[in-house]
Amino acid sequence: MWKNFNKYINLPKQEKKLLLEALLFSIYVRLWLMLFPFKWIEKKLGSKEPVIYETTNIQEKLLLTIKKSIKRIANHTWWRNQCIEQSLTALLMLKKRKINYVISFGATTKNSQLKAHVWIRSGSFFIVDKGTDNYALIIEYYG
């Protein structure tokens, strides 16, 4: 535990701030998923109408730091923090900074079992990766 605390203390100020924000949004998202029906959450995701935009180099540095923060939190929380929680956490962090995003919901079958996945990107930068499985896109939301 002290090792992780020392790592946190030695991070740059912006990374500390984003890590704490990712933790708080992660808790918030987990509560959303436990307490509210998905139809309520769906209203918060954005528009179904496509938006075309590109990210800048400055935004890509910020996006990489956000991605790292979300991954670190996911690896150190005791509650479920998988693709949907990570993607919704990223969505909230991007909305706060008024950065455009596309959140995608997909599904595939693996060993006769249905497998779902959620990923999010801004421009061509994936904050939560799509993964290697060939997911059929179900729906996308733009913000």
Side-chain angles (χ1 to χ4, degrees):
M1 180 175 156
W2 287 108
K3 185 179 177 182
N4 290 335
F5 184 72
N6 286 334
K7 282 183 184 178
Y8 176 78
I9 293 298
N10 293 326
L11 289 174
K13 189 175 181 177
Q14 183 190 18
E15 286 188 46
K16 284 182 194 174
K17 183 180 172 187
L18 287 173
L19 198 61
L20 182 60
E21 182 181 323
L23 174 64
L24 295 175
F25 278 144
S26 175
I27 293 167
Y28 186 61
V29 163
R30 190 65 198 132
L31 289 172
W32 269 13
L33 292 169
M34 288 173 26
L35 299 174
F36 298 106
F38 191 75
K39 281 189 175 201
W40 182 85
I41 296 169
E42 185 180 24
K43 293 175 186 174
K44 310 267 184 221
L45 297 179
S47 168
K48 292 181 184 177
E49 297 299 318
V51 177
I52 298 171
Y53 59 89
E54 286 300 317
T55 56
T56 64
N57 286 341
I58 295 169
Q59 280 182 326
E60 284 197 12
K61 287 181 182 179
L62 175 62
L63 294 173
L64 180 61
T65 309
I66 289 172
K67 179 177 185 167
K68 280 192 215 174
S69 298
I70 291 169
K71 286 290 182 193
R72 283 179 177 157
I73 291 301
N75 291 333
H76 291 93
T77 53
W78 49 266
W79 59 86
R80 179 192 137 107
N81 202 339
Q82 294 180 349
C83 61
I84 190 164
E85 289 87 359
Q86 291 174 33
S87 293
L88 292 175
T89 299
L91 179 141
L92 292 174
M93 293 176 80
L94 294 175
K95 271 187 170 184
K96 179 180 177 186
R97 289 162 180 78
K98 295 179 175 55
I99 297 175
N100 292 327
Y101 61 86
V102 179
I103 186 167
S104 307
F105 292 77
T108 189
T109 54
K110 197 171 195 177
N111 300 331
S112 301
Q113 297 230 336
L114 184 64
K115 184 178 174 187
H117 185 55
V118 182
W119 61 96
I120 188 168
R121 65 182 170 82
S122 182
S124 60
F125 186 87
F126 283 85
I127 295 132
V128 175
D129 295 322
K130 183 178 180 182
T132 56
D133 292 339
N134 191 20
Y135 291 98
L137 184 63
I138 296 171
I139 194 160
E140 287 184 320
Y141 294 93
Y142 302 84

